[in-house]
Protein backbone atom coordinates (compact mmCIF):
# COMPACT_ATOMS: atom_id res chain seq x y z
CA UNK A 1 0.00 0.00 0.00
CA UNK A 2 1.14 3.55 -0.72
CA UNK A 3 2.11 5.58 2.28
CA UNK A 4 -0.55 8.24 2.85
CA UNK A 5 0.50 11.83 2.17
CA UNK A 6 1.06 13.64 5.51
CA UNK A 7 -1.64 16.12 6.44
CA UNK A 8 -0.79 19.81 6.16
CA UNK A 9 -4.30 21.27 6.41
CA UNK A 10 -6.46 19.42 8.96
CA UNK A 11 -9.61 21.39 8.21
CA UNK A 12 -9.93 20.37 4.54
CA UNK A 13 -7.79 17.24 4.48
CA UNK A 14 -8.01 15.44 7.85
CA UNK A 15 -6.87 11.84 8.25
CA UNK A 16 -7.89 9.88 11.35
CA UNK A 17 -5.04 7.42 10.81
CA UNK A 18 -2.32 10.09 10.84
CA UNK A 19 0.20 9.38 13.65
CA UNK A 20 -0.35 12.85 15.14
CA UNK A 21 -4.09 12.11 15.44
CA UNK A 22 -3.33 8.76 17.06
CA UNK A 23 -0.92 10.33 19.54
CA UNK A 24 -3.05 13.30 20.66
CA UNK A 25 -6.26 14.05 18.74
CA UNK A 26 -7.72 16.64 21.12
CA UNK A 27 -5.93 19.78 19.85
CA UNK A 28 -6.70 18.72 16.27
CA UNK A 29 -10.41 18.38 17.07
CA UNK A 30 -10.38 21.78 18.80
CA UNK A 31 -8.90 23.31 15.66
CA UNK A 32 -11.50 21.62 13.44
CA UNK A 33 -14.40 22.59 15.73
CA UNK A 34 -13.27 26.21 15.77
CA UNK A 35 -13.53 26.24 11.96
CA UNK A 36 -16.71 24.32 11.25
CA UNK A 37 -19.31 22.05 12.89
CA UNK A 38 -18.81 19.55 10.04
CA UNK A 39 -15.49 19.18 8.19
CA UNK A 40 -14.73 17.11 5.08
CA UNK A 41 -11.75 15.25 3.63
CA UNK A 42 -11.28 13.70 0.20
CA UNK A 43 -9.28 10.89 1.74
CA UNK A 44 -10.91 7.44 2.13
CA UNK A 45 -13.14 8.22 -0.89
CA UNK A 46 -14.75 11.18 0.90
CA UNK A 47 -15.55 11.52 4.60
CA UNK A 48 -17.35 14.11 6.73
CA UNK A 49 -16.68 14.55 10.41
CA UNK A 50 -19.05 16.40 12.75
CA UNK A 51 -17.00 18.18 15.42
CA UNK A 52 -19.69 19.53 17.78
CA UNK A 53 -21.98 17.67 20.15
CA UNK A 54 -24.97 19.13 18.35
CA UNK A 55 -23.87 17.89 14.91
CA UNK A 56 -22.90 14.43 16.20
CA UNK A 57 -26.27 14.10 17.89
CA UNK A 58 -28.18 15.27 14.82
CA UNK A 59 -26.47 12.60 12.68
CA UNK A 60 -26.85 9.83 15.27
CA UNK A 61 -30.60 10.55 15.44
CA UNK A 62 -31.06 10.81 11.67
CA UNK A 63 -31.35 7.29 10.30
CA UNK A 64 -33.12 8.53 7.18
CA UNK A 65 -30.07 10.26 5.70
CA UNK A 66 -27.33 8.31 7.50
CA UNK A 67 -27.17 4.52 7.30
CA UNK A 68 -25.30 2.09 9.54
CA UNK A 69 -24.85 -0.39 6.69
CA UNK A 70 -21.19 0.65 6.58
CA UNK A 71 -19.61 1.42 9.93
CA UNK A 72 -15.91 1.41 9.11
CA UNK A 73 -14.12 4.09 7.11
CA UNK A 74 -11.70 2.27 4.83
CA UNK A 75 -9.68 2.91 1.71
CA UNK A 76 -12.14 0.94 -0.40
CA UNK A 77 -15.91 0.38 -0.35
CA UNK A 78 -16.40 -3.19 -1.52
CA UNK A 79 -20.00 -4.45 -1.92
CA UNK A 80 -21.63 -5.20 1.44
CA UNK A 81 -21.56 -8.94 2.11
CA UNK A 82 -21.24 -9.26 5.90
CA UNK A 83 -23.89 -7.70 8.10
CA UNK A 84 -23.84 -7.76 11.89
CA UNK A 85 -27.29 -6.84 13.24
CA UNK A 86 -28.05 -4.64 15.10
CA UNK A 87 -24.90 -2.55 14.67
CA UNK A 88 -25.15 -2.56 10.86
CA UNK A 89 -28.98 -2.34 10.80
CA UNK A 90 -31.24 0.62 10.13
CA UNK A 91 -34.93 0.87 11.10
CA UNK A 92 -37.15 -1.10 10.94
CA UNK A 93 -34.82 -4.15 11.16
CA UNK A 94 -32.74 -2.62 13.93
CA UNK A 95 -35.13 -2.83 16.87
CA UNK A 96 -36.02 -6.54 16.85
CA UNK A 97 -32.37 -7.48 16.32
CA UNK A 98 -31.32 -5.31 19.25
CA UNK A 99 -34.04 -6.51 21.62
CA UNK A 100 -32.64 -10.03 21.35
CA UNK A 101 -29.33 -8.89 22.79
CA UNK A 102 -30.47 -6.49 25.52
CA UNK A 103 -31.83 -8.73 28.35
CA UNK A 104 -28.49 -10.43 29.18
CA UNK A 105 -26.81 -7.01 29.59
CA UNK A 106 -29.10 -5.22 32.09
CA UNK A 107 -27.56 -3.70 35.24
CA UNK A 108 -29.04 -6.55 37.33
CA UNK A 109 -27.43 -9.17 35.10
CA UNK A 110 -24.12 -7.33 35.49
CA UNK A 111 -24.39 -7.43 39.29
CA UNK A 112 -24.37 -11.22 39.07
CA UNK A 113 -21.24 -11.19 36.95
CA UNK A 114 -19.40 -8.69 39.14
CA UNK A 115 -17.81 -11.13 41.65
CA UNK A 116 -16.22 -13.10 38.81
CA UNK A 117 -14.79 -9.90 37.30
CA UNK A 118 -13.35 -8.93 40.69
CA UNK A 119 -11.68 -12.32 40.90
CA UNK A 120 -10.31 -11.99 37.35
CA UNK A 121 -8.75 -8.62 38.23
CA UNK A 122 -7.11 -10.05 41.33
CA UNK A 123 -5.79 -13.11 39.48
CA UNK A 124 -4.13 -10.76 37.01
CA UNK A 125 -2.71 -8.46 39.70
CA UNK A 126 -1.26 -11.49 41.56
CA UNK A 127 0.94 -12.14 38.55
CA UNK A 128 2.83 -8.82 38.62
CA UNK A 129 2.28 -7.16 41.99
CA UNK A 130 5.73 -8.24 43.19
CA UNK A 131 7.42 -6.61 40.17
CA UNK A 132 8.76 -3.05 40.26
CA UNK A 133 7.26 -2.24 36.84
CA UNK A 134 4.57 -3.57 34.52
CA UNK A 135 3.04 -2.92 31.12
CA UNK A 136 -0.50 -2.56 32.44
CA UNK A 137 -2.03 -2.61 28.94
CA UNK A 138 -0.48 -5.98 28.11
CA UNK A 139 -0.84 -7.63 31.50
CA UNK A 140 -3.97 -6.12 33.05
CA UNK A 141 -6.44 -4.02 31.07
CA UNK A 142 -6.29 -6.23 27.97
CA UNK A 143 -7.38 -9.43 29.71
CA UNK A 144 -10.34 -8.21 31.76
CA UNK A 145 -12.89 -7.73 28.94
CA UNK A 146 -12.07 -10.99 27.13
CA UNK A 147 -12.25 -13.08 30.26
CA UNK A 148 -15.49 -11.41 31.35
CA UNK A 149 -17.20 -12.01 28.01
CA UNK A 150 -15.84 -15.57 27.80
CA UNK A 151 -17.33 -16.20 31.23
CA UNK A 152 -20.70 -14.82 30.09
CA UNK A 153 -20.67 -16.84 26.88
CA UNK A 154 -19.72 -20.02 28.72
CA UNK A 155 -16.44 -20.72 26.93
CA UNK A 156 -12.99 -21.25 28.45
CA UNK A 157 -11.47 -17.99 29.70
CA UNK A 158 -8.04 -19.21 28.51
CA UNK A 159 -9.28 -18.94 24.92
CA UNK A 160 -9.19 -15.17 25.43
CA UNK A 161 -5.84 -14.87 23.67
CA UNK A 162 -7.39 -16.30 20.53
CA UNK A 163 -10.12 -13.65 20.59
CA UNK A 164 -7.55 -10.91 21.03
CA UNK A 165 -5.70 -12.18 17.96
CA UNK A 166 -8.86 -12.33 15.82
CA UNK A 167 -9.98 -8.88 16.86
CA UNK A 168 -6.59 -7.40 16.07
CA UNK A 169 -6.73 -9.05 12.64
CA UNK A 170 -10.29 -7.89 11.99
CA UNK A 171 -10.19 -4.34 13.35
CA UNK A 172 -6.63 -3.25 12.69
CA UNK A 173 -4.90 -5.39 10.03
CA UNK A 174 -8.22 -5.91 8.23
CA UNK A 175 -8.53 -2.21 7.35
CA UNK A 176 -5.96 -2.74 4.62
CA UNK A 177 -5.50 -6.53 4.40
CA UNK A 178 -8.58 -8.30 3.04
CA UNK A 179 -7.07 -11.83 3.18
CA UNK A 180 -6.17 -11.64 6.87
CA UNK A 181 -9.62 -10.24 7.61
CA UNK A 182 -11.38 -13.12 5.87
CA UNK A 183 -9.18 -15.75 7.50
CA UNK A 184 -9.83 -14.32 10.97
CA UNK A 185 -13.60 -14.32 10.40
CA UNK A 186 -13.38 -17.90 9.11
CA UNK A 187 -11.43 -19.13 12.16
CA UNK A 188 -13.74 -17.35 14.55
CA UNK A 189 -16.85 -18.79 12.89
CA UNK A 190 -15.42 -22.29 12.99
CA UNK A 191 -14.59 -21.93 16.68
CA UNK A 192 -18.06 -20.75 17.64
CA UNK A 193 -19.88 -23.29 15.44
CA UNK A 194 -18.22 -25.98 17.57
CA UNK A 195 -19.62 -24.43 20.73
CA UNK A 196 -23.08 -24.04 19.17
CA UNK A 197 -23.12 -27.69 18.03
CA UNK A 198 -22.05 -28.91 21.47
CA UNK A 199 -24.99 -27.09 23.08
CA UNK A 200 -27.52 -28.72 20.77
CA UNK A 201 -27.13 -32.05 22.54
CA UNK A 202 -26.24 -30.54 25.92
CA UNK A 203 -27.78 -27.12 26.59
CA UNK A 204 -25.95 -25.00 29.17
CA UNK A 205 -26.80 -22.03 31.33
CA UNK A 206 -24.85 -19.34 29.48
CA UNK A 207 -25.20 -16.58 26.90
CA UNK A 208 -24.65 -18.89 23.90
CA UNK A 209 -27.52 -21.13 25.03
CA UNK A 210 -29.66 -18.07 25.80
CA UNK A 211 -29.21 -16.84 22.24
CA UNK A 212 -29.92 -20.31 20.85
CA UNK A 213 -33.18 -20.41 22.82
CA UNK A 214 -34.23 -16.88 21.83
CA UNK A 215 -36.96 -16.41 19.25
CA UNK A 216 -36.75 -13.98 16.36
CA UNK A 217 -39.51 -11.53 15.37
CA UNK A 218 -41.14 -14.33 13.32
CA UNK A 219 -41.50 -16.49 16.44
CA UNK A 220 -38.92 -19.00 15.19
CA UNK A 221 -35.66 -19.84 16.97
CA UNK A 222 -32.66 -18.00 15.54
CA UNK A 223 -30.67 -19.75 12.82
CA UNK A 224 -27.16 -20.91 13.64
CA UNK A 225 -25.87 -18.16 11.35
CA UNK A 226 -27.76 -15.53 13.31
CA UNK A 227 -26.41 -16.82 16.63
CA UNK A 228 -22.93 -16.90 15.15
CA UNK A 229 -23.24 -13.34 13.86
CA UNK A 230 -24.35 -12.11 17.27
CA UNK A 231 -21.44 -13.83 19.01
CA UNK A 232 -18.99 -12.31 16.53
CA UNK A 233 -20.47 -8.87 17.09
CA UNK A 234 -20.30 -9.11 20.89
CA UNK A 235 -16.62 -10.01 20.72
CA UNK A 236 -15.66 -7.40 18.17
CA UNK A 237 -17.66 -4.64 19.91
CA UNK A 238 -16.94 -5.58 23.50
CA UNK A 239 -13.26 -6.24 23.82
CA UNK A 240 -10.83 -3.59 22.68
CA UNK A 241 -13.40 -0.89 23.46
CA UNK A 242 -13.42 -1.80 27.14
CA UNK A 243 -9.68 -2.53 27.12
CA UNK A 244 -9.27 1.06 25.93
CA UNK A 245 -11.64 2.50 28.51
CA UNK A 246 -9.93 0.80 31.45
CA UNK A 247 -6.49 1.62 30.07
CA UNK A 248 -7.15 5.31 29.52
CA UNK A 249 -8.54 5.63 33.06
CA UNK A 250 -5.48 3.96 34.55
CA UNK A 251 -3.21 6.15 32.40
CA UNK A 252 -4.97 9.24 33.75
CA UNK A 253 -4.57 8.08 37.35
CA UNK A 254 -0.90 7.21 36.77
CA UNK A 255 -0.12 10.74 35.62
CA UNK A 256 -2.49 12.58 37.99
CA UNK A 257 -1.57 11.77 41.61
CA UNK A 258 -4.09 14.27 42.99
CA UNK A 259 -7.02 12.43 41.39
CA UNK A 260 -5.62 9.08 42.44
CA UNK A 261 -5.30 10.13 46.07
CA UNK A 262 -8.73 11.71 46.05
CA UNK A 263 -10.35 8.60 44.62
CA UNK A 264 -8.72 6.46 47.30
CA UNK A 265 -9.81 8.86 50.06
CA UNK A 266 -13.31 9.35 48.63
CA UNK A 267 -14.32 6.07 46.96
CA UNK A 268 -17.89 7.38 46.63
CA UNK A 269 -16.58 9.52 43.76
CA UNK A 270 -15.96 6.42 41.63
CA UNK A 271 -19.24 6.68 39.64
CA UNK A 272 -18.67 10.30 38.59
CA UNK A 273 -14.99 9.56 37.92
CA UNK A 274 -15.87 6.68 35.60
CA UNK A 275 -18.37 8.84 33.67
CA UNK A 276 -15.75 11.58 33.40
CA UNK A 277 -13.08 9.18 32.08
CA UNK A 278 -15.64 7.92 29.57
CA UNK A 279 -16.33 11.50 28.50
CA UNK A 280 -12.80 12.82 28.36
CA UNK A 281 -11.14 9.72 26.89
CA UNK A 282 -14.05 8.22 24.94
CA UNK A 283 -12.70 5.17 23.16
CA UNK A 284 -15.18 4.74 20.32
CA UNK A 285 -15.73 6.63 17.05
CA UNK A 286 -18.38 5.12 14.77
CA UNK A 287 -19.21 5.69 11.13
CA UNK A 288 -22.23 6.12 8.90
CA UNK A 289 -22.79 6.20 5.15
CA UNK A 290 -24.64 9.20 3.70
CA UNK A 291 -27.57 7.83 1.72
CA UNK A 292 -29.54 11.03 1.00
CA UNK A 293 -28.53 14.64 0.60
CA UNK A 294 -29.20 16.84 3.65
CA UNK A 295 -27.86 19.66 5.82
CA UNK A 296 -26.32 19.34 9.29
CA UNK A 297 -25.66 22.43 11.43
CA UNK A 298 -25.88 24.48 8.22
CA UNK A 299 -23.35 22.36 6.34
CA UNK A 300 -24.40 20.61 3.11
CA UNK A 301 -23.99 16.81 3.25
CA UNK A 302 -23.81 14.80 0.02
CA UNK A 303 -24.29 11.08 -0.68
CA UNK A 304 -21.32 8.89 -1.73
CA UNK A 305 -19.51 10.03 1.41
CA UNK A 306 -18.91 8.33 4.72
CA UNK A 307 -19.24 10.07 8.10
CA UNK A 308 -16.80 9.66 10.94
CA UNK A 309 -19.21 9.88 13.88
CA UNK A 310 -16.88 11.11 16.56
CA UNK A 311 -18.53 10.68 19.94
CA UNK A 312 -15.11 11.48 21.45
CA UNK A 313 -14.98 14.89 19.73
CA UNK A 314 -18.59 15.64 20.77
CA UNK A 315 -17.59 14.92 24.36
CA UNK A 316 -14.91 17.63 24.22
CA UNK A 317 -17.24 20.33 22.87
CA UNK A 318 -17.04 23.41 25.14
CA UNK A 319 -20.56 24.45 24.06
CA UNK A 320 -21.86 21.31 25.79
CA UNK A 321 -19.45 20.84 28.71
CA UNK A 322 -17.90 23.52 30.90
CA UNK A 323 -14.14 23.05 31.20
CA UNK A 324 -14.46 20.48 28.42
CA UNK A 325 -10.70 19.99 28.21
CA UNK A 326 -10.31 19.38 31.96
CA UNK A 327 -10.85 16.05 33.69
CA UNK A 328 -13.09 16.70 36.72
CA UNK A 329 -13.69 13.45 38.57
CA UNK A 330 -16.59 14.97 40.51
CA UNK A 331 -18.38 16.45 37.45
CA UNK A 332 -22.07 16.44 38.38
CA UNK A 333 -23.78 17.02 35.05
CA UNK A 334 -22.37 14.76 32.40
CA UNK A 335 -24.52 13.93 29.39
CA UNK A 336 -21.58 12.41 27.55
CA UNK A 337 -22.11 10.34 24.43
CA UNK A 338 -19.35 7.74 24.89
CA UNK A 339 -21.84 4.91 24.36
CA UNK A 340 -23.55 6.63 21.45
CA UNK A 341 -26.83 8.50 21.16
CA UNK A 342 -30.16 7.30 19.81
CA UNK A 343 -31.16 3.81 18.72
CA UNK A 344 -27.65 2.33 18.52
CA UNK A 345 -26.85 2.99 22.21
CA UNK A 346 -24.17 0.49 23.19
CA UNK A 347 -25.65 -2.87 24.18
CA UNK A 348 -22.69 -3.46 26.49
CA UNK A 349 -22.70 -0.11 28.33
CA UNK A 350 -23.69 -1.65 31.67
CA UNK A 351 -21.05 -4.35 31.28
CA UNK A 352 -18.36 -1.84 30.28
CA UNK A 353 -19.17 0.45 33.22
CA UNK A 354 -19.05 -2.46 35.66
CA UNK A 355 -15.74 -3.70 34.26
CA UNK A 356 -14.17 -0.24 34.40
CA UNK A 357 -15.35 0.31 37.97
CA UNK A 358 -14.20 -3.07 39.25
CA UNK A 359 -10.86 -2.88 37.41
CA UNK A 360 -10.03 0.50 38.96
CA UNK A 361 -11.32 -0.40 42.43
CA UNK A 362 -9.31 -3.61 42.66
CA UNK A 363 -6.19 -1.95 41.24
CA UNK A 364 -6.36 0.99 43.68
CA UNK A 365 -6.97 -1.35 46.62
CA UNK A 366 -3.84 -3.34 45.92
CA UNK A 367 -1.65 -0.81 44.12
CA UNK A 368 -2.44 2.63 45.55
CA UNK A 369 0.93 4.05 44.39
CA UNK A 370 1.99 3.94 40.75
CA UNK A 371 3.16 6.27 38.01
CA UNK A 372 4.18 6.33 34.36
CA UNK A 373 7.57 4.73 33.79
CA UNK A 374 9.74 7.52 32.34
CA UNK A 375 11.92 4.91 30.65
CA UNK A 376 8.96 3.45 28.72
CA UNK A 377 6.59 4.83 26.11
CA UNK A 378 2.80 4.90 26.19
CA UNK A 379 1.43 3.97 22.76
CA UNK A 380 -2.15 4.39 21.50
CA UNK A 381 -4.15 2.27 19.08
CA UNK A 382 -4.74 3.67 15.62
CA UNK A 383 -8.15 4.17 14.06
CA UNK A 384 -11.62 4.34 15.53
CA UNK A 385 -11.11 2.65 18.91
CA UNK A 386 -8.62 4.66 20.95
CA UNK A 387 -6.82 3.45 24.05
CA UNK A 388 -3.35 2.68 25.40
CA UNK A 389 -1.79 -0.44 23.86
CA UNK A 390 1.40 -0.11 25.86
CA UNK A 391 1.19 1.37 29.34
CA UNK A 392 4.50 1.01 31.20
CA UNK A 393 4.05 1.77 34.90
CA UNK A 394 6.30 1.83 37.95
CA UNK A 395 4.61 0.25 40.96
CA UNK A 396 5.04 1.36 44.55
CA UNK A 397 5.98 4.65 46.18
CA UNK A 398 8.43 6.90 44.34
CA UNK A 399 11.81 6.76 46.11
CA UNK B 1 -43.68 26.78 49.03
CA UNK B 2 -43.35 24.95 45.72
CA UNK B 3 -45.53 21.92 45.02
CA UNK B 4 -44.44 18.33 44.58
CA UNK B 5 -42.24 17.32 41.67
CA UNK B 6 -43.35 14.70 39.20
CA UNK B 7 -41.04 12.87 36.84
CA UNK B 8 -41.85 11.16 33.56
CA UNK B 9 -39.64 9.14 31.21
CA UNK B 10 -40.59 9.48 27.54
CA UNK B 11 -40.44 5.87 26.30
CA UNK B 12 -39.83 7.02 22.71
CA UNK B 13 -36.72 8.92 23.71
CA UNK B 14 -35.27 6.61 26.37
CA UNK B 15 -32.53 4.35 24.99
CA UNK B 16 -31.65 2.59 28.20
CA UNK B 17 -28.39 4.27 29.18
CA UNK B 18 -29.58 3.66 32.79
CA UNK B 19 -27.89 6.78 34.10
CA UNK B 20 -31.15 7.70 35.88
CA UNK B 21 -31.43 4.34 37.63
CA UNK B 22 -27.88 4.46 38.95
CA UNK B 23 -28.23 8.06 40.19
CA UNK B 24 -31.74 7.76 41.61
CA UNK B 25 -32.72 4.11 42.13
CA UNK B 26 -35.62 5.26 44.34
CA UNK B 27 -37.27 7.00 41.40
CA UNK B 28 -36.65 4.84 38.33
CA UNK B 29 -37.01 1.18 37.41
CA UNK B 30 -35.80 -0.67 34.32
CA UNK B 31 -37.65 -3.18 32.15
CA UNK B 32 -36.14 -6.39 30.76
CA UNK B 33 -34.45 -4.42 27.94
CA UNK B 34 -32.92 -1.93 30.36
CA UNK B 35 -35.24 0.94 29.40
CA UNK B 36 -36.37 3.19 32.24
CA UNK B 37 -39.78 4.04 33.69
CA UNK B 38 -40.67 6.27 36.61
CA UNK B 39 -41.69 4.30 39.69
CA UNK B 40 -45.42 4.58 40.47
CA UNK B 41 -47.01 7.75 39.12
CA UNK B 42 -43.70 9.59 39.15
CA UNK B 43 -44.37 11.73 42.22
CA UNK B 44 -41.02 12.52 43.82
CA UNK B 45 -41.04 11.83 47.58
CA UNK B 46 -39.86 14.67 49.86
CA UNK B 47 -36.10 14.78 50.09
CA UNK B 48 -35.44 13.20 46.70
CA UNK B 49 -35.87 16.36 44.62
CA UNK B 50 -32.14 16.80 44.08
CA UNK B 51 -31.79 13.24 42.85
CA UNK B 52 -34.61 13.81 40.37
CA UNK B 53 -32.84 16.85 38.93
CA UNK B 54 -29.53 15.04 38.91
CA UNK B 55 -31.01 12.16 36.91
CA UNK B 56 -32.57 14.58 34.45
CA UNK B 57 -29.34 16.46 33.95
CA UNK B 58 -27.41 13.27 33.20
CA UNK B 59 -29.80 11.63 30.74
CA UNK B 60 -28.01 11.73 27.37
CA UNK B 61 -31.27 11.39 25.45
CA UNK B 62 -33.15 14.21 27.27
CA UNK B 63 -35.85 11.63 27.96
CA UNK B 64 -36.76 12.75 31.50
CA UNK B 65 -39.34 15.47 32.14
CA UNK B 66 -39.93 17.08 35.51
CA UNK B 67 -43.11 18.99 36.23
CA UNK B 68 -44.21 20.81 39.36
CA UNK B 69 -47.76 20.54 40.69
C1 LIG C 1 -15.98 1.30 27.17
C2 LIG C 1 -16.45 0.37 26.38
C3 LIG C 1 -17.39 0.59 25.23
C4 LIG C 1 -17.63 1.73 24.50
C5 LIG C 1 -17.02 3.11 24.68
C6 LIG C 1 -18.64 1.39 23.51
C7 LIG C 1 -19.17 2.29 22.59
C8 LIG C 1 -20.17 2.02 21.71
C9 LIG C 1 -20.78 2.99 20.84
C10 LIG C 1 -20.38 4.46 20.74
C11 LIG C 1 -21.77 2.37 20.16
C12 LIG C 1 -22.74 3.04 19.18
C13 LIG C 1 -22.55 2.63 17.78
C14 LIG C 1 -23.31 3.45 16.79
O1 LIG C 1 -23.83 4.54 17.07
O2 LIG C 1 -23.36 3.01 15.64
C15 LIG C 1 -21.77 0.98 20.57
C16 LIG C 1 -22.62 0.00 20.08
C17 LIG C 1 -22.58 -1.32 20.46
N1 LIG C 1 -21.79 -1.87 21.45
FE1 LIG C 1 -20.44 -0.89 22.60
N2 LIG C 1 -18.97 0.07 23.63
C18 LIG C 1 -18.24 -0.45 24.68
C19 LIG C 1 -18.30 -1.76 25.16
C20 LIG C 1 -19.15 -2.73 24.68
C21 LIG C 1 -19.29 -4.06 25.24
C22 LIG C 1 -18.58 -4.56 26.48
C23 LIG C 1 -20.18 -4.73 24.44
C24 LIG C 1 -20.71 -6.13 24.55
C25 LIG C 1 -20.14 -7.15 25.04
C26 LIG C 1 -20.60 -3.81 23.39
C27 LIG C 1 -21.50 -4.13 22.40
C28 LIG C 1 -22.07 -3.22 21.53
C29 LIG C 1 -23.08 -3.56 20.55
C30 LIG C 1 -23.67 -4.94 20.30
C31 LIG C 1 -23.42 -2.36 19.88
C32 LIG C 1 -24.44 -2.18 18.76
C33 LIG C 1 -25.71 -1.58 19.29
C34 LIG C 1 -26.68 -1.18 18.20
O3 LIG C 1 -26.28 -1.02 17.05
O4 LIG C 1 -27.87 -1.01 18.52
N3 LIG C 1 -19.96 -2.61 23.56
N4 LIG C 1 -20.80 0.80 21.54
S1 LIG D 1 -30.87 8.01 31.60
FE1 LIG D 1 -32.38 8.59 30.08
S2 LIG D 1 -32.06 7.22 28.35
FE2 LIG D 1 -31.03 6.37 30.11
S3 LIG D 1 -32.46 4.92 30.98
FE3 LIG D 1 -32.71 6.85 32.05
S4 LIG D 1 -34.30 7.89 30.91
FE4 LIG D 1 -33.58 6.25 29.61
Amino acid sequence: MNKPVPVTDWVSDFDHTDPRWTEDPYPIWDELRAQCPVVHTNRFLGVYMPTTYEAVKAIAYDTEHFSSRRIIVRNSRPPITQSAPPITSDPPEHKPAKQLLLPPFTPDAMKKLEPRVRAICNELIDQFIADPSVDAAARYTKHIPVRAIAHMLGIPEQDGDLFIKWIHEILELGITDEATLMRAIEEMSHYFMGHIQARKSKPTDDLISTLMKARGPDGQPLSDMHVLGSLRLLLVAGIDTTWSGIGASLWHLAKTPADRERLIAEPELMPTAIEEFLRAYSPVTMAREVIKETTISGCPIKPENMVLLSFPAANRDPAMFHDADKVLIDRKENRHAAFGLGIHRCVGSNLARMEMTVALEEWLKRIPDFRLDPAGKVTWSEGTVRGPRQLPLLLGKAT
Amino acid sequence: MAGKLKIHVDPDKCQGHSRCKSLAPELFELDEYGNAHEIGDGTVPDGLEDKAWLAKSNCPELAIDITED
Side-chain angles (χ1 to χ4, degrees), chain A residues 93-162:
Chain A
E93 289 81 21
H94 173 266
K95 188 169 178 178
K98 180 157 195 174
Q99 284 189 331
L100 289 171
L101 293 183
L102 287 171
F105 290 95
T106 57
D108 281 346
M110 294 309 114
K111 278 225 172 65
K112 298 207 184 84
L113 180 65
E114 194 182 305
R116 179 63 206 132
V117 176
R118 267 188 215 285
I120 290 170
C121 293
N122 280 294
E123 287 158 22
L124 291 165
I125 294 173
D126 287 341
Q127 293 174 13
F128 56 75
I129 189 160
D131 301 344
S133 63
V134 68
D135 179 351
R139 300 196 53 200
Y140 188 62
T141 60
K142 179 180 188 170
H143 302 286
I144 300 163
V146 259
R147 293 193 189 177
I149 193 84
H151 185 82
M152 276 184 87
L153 292 173
I155 55 190
E157 286 181 17
Q158 313 83 278
D159 289 354
D161 289 342
L162 267 176

Side-chain angles (χ1 to χ4, degrees), chain A residues 57-339:
Chain A
K57 178 169 173 167
I59 294 172
Y61 279 5
D62 181 352
T63 53
E64 184 193 340
H65 299 94
F66 301 93
S67 170
S68 285
R69 65 190 186 190
R70 286 184 212 276
I71 46 165
I72 302 182
V73 170
R74 309 174 50 178
N75 276 326
S76 61
R77 290 200 202 136
I80 298 163
T81 51
Q82 290 269 349
S83 71
I87 206 163
T88 55
S89 315
D90 295 319
E93 289 81 21
H94 173 266
K95 188 169 178 178
K98 180 157 195 174
Q99 284 189 331
L100 289 171
L101 293 183
L102 287 171
F105 290 95
T106 57
D108 281 346
M110 294 309 114
K111 278 225 172 65
K112 298 207 184 84
L113 180 65
E114 194 182 305
R116 179 63 206 132
V117 176
R118 267 188 215 285
I120 290 170
C121 293
N122 280 294
E123 287 158 22
L124 291 165
I125 294 173
D126 287 341
Q127 293 174 13
F128 56 75
I129 189 160
D131 301 344
S133 63
V134 68
D135 179 351
R139 300 196 53 200
Y140 188 62
T141 60
K142 179 180 188 170
H143 302 286
I144 300 163
V146 259
R147 293 193 189 177
I149 193 84
H151 185 82
M152 276 184 87
L153 292 173
I155 55 190
E157 286 181 17
Q158 313 83 278
D159 289 354
D161 289 342
L162 267 176
F163 305 165
I164 292 172
K165 176 179 97 84
W166 290 329
I167 285 159
H168 176 65
E169 289 169 348
I170 292 173
L171 286 185
E172 293 185 62
L173 307 182
I175 294 183
T176 47
D177 179 353
E178 194 83 21
T180 300
L181 173 75
M182 296 321 284
R183 190 177 39 82
I185 292 179
E186 188 77 16
E187 283 177 18
M188 202 166 167
S189 304
H190 184 77
Y191 173 91
F192 278 118
M193 265 332 272
H195 283 287
I196 293 173
Q197 290 303 346
R199 281 163 181 72
K200 285 190 177 159
S201 46
K202 223 169 135 237
T204 44
D205 181 23
D206 56 36
L207 184 47
I208 298 185
S209 285
T210 305
L211 286 173
M212 290 170 66
K213 276 181 257 162
R215 307 226 154 220
D218 53 1
Q220 296 298 313
L222 306 182
S223 66
D224 289 352
M225 288 323 273
H226 194 140
V227 174
L228 191 63
S230 308
L231 295 173
R232 242 182 1 230
L233 171 59
L234 291 178
L235 283 200
V236 173
I239 292 180
D240 66 342
T241 48
T242 318
W243 174 16
S244 301
I246 303 170
S249 310
L250 213 48
W251 170 74
H252 176 86
L253 293 176
K255 70 185 179 73
T256 323
D259 282 350
R260 191 171 70 229
E261 282 155 21
R262 192 163 172 218
L263 214 42
I264 292 170
E266 299 169 63
E268 65 281 7
L269 286 180
M270 191 56 91
T272 46
I274 296 286
E275 298 306 323
E276 181 66 345
F277 297 148
L278 282 163
R279 181 192 70 83
Y281 309 119
S282 291
V284 178
T285 297
M286 282 300 299
R288 296 288 188 268
E289 184 173 5
V290 184
I291 48 173
K292 265 194 230 166
E293 187 160 344
T294 185
T295 324
I296 292 288
S297 298
C299 308
I301 306 287
K302 300 218 153 51
E304 313 278 306
N305 285 280
M306 291 290 293
V307 175
L308 209 50
L309 193 54
S310 180
F311 297 112
N315 284 342
R316 293 282 187 139
D317 181 355
M320 180 67 189
F321 302 95
H322 72 84
D323 292 314
D325 56 349
K326 292 208 178 76
V327 177
L328 307 173
I329 60 169
D330 57 358
R331 191 183 288 272
K332 268 211 149 57
E333 270 190 37
N334 195 348
R335 280 200 188 98
H336 71 76
F339 292 112

Side-chain angles (χ1 to χ4, degrees), chain A residues 329-382:
Chain A
I329 60 169
D330 57 358
R331 191 183 288 272
K332 268 211 149 57
E333 270 190 37
N334 195 348
R335 280 200 188 98
H336 71 76
F339 292 112
L341 289 169
I343 62 168
H344 289 282
R345 187 272 298 172
C346 176
V347 164
S349 60
N350 300 312
L351 172 59
R353 284 186 164 109
M354 183 271 279
E355 287 182 34
M356 286 177 67
T357 307
V358 168
L360 292 190
E361 283 175 355
E362 295 309 306
W363 178 287
L364 289 176
K365 253 185 238 163
R366 299 191 59 193
I367 314 177
D369 289 304
F370 58 103
R371 64 218 126 92
L372 296 179
D373 181 351
K377 184 167 166 37
V378 179
T379 60
W380 298 83
S381 50
E382 175 183 292

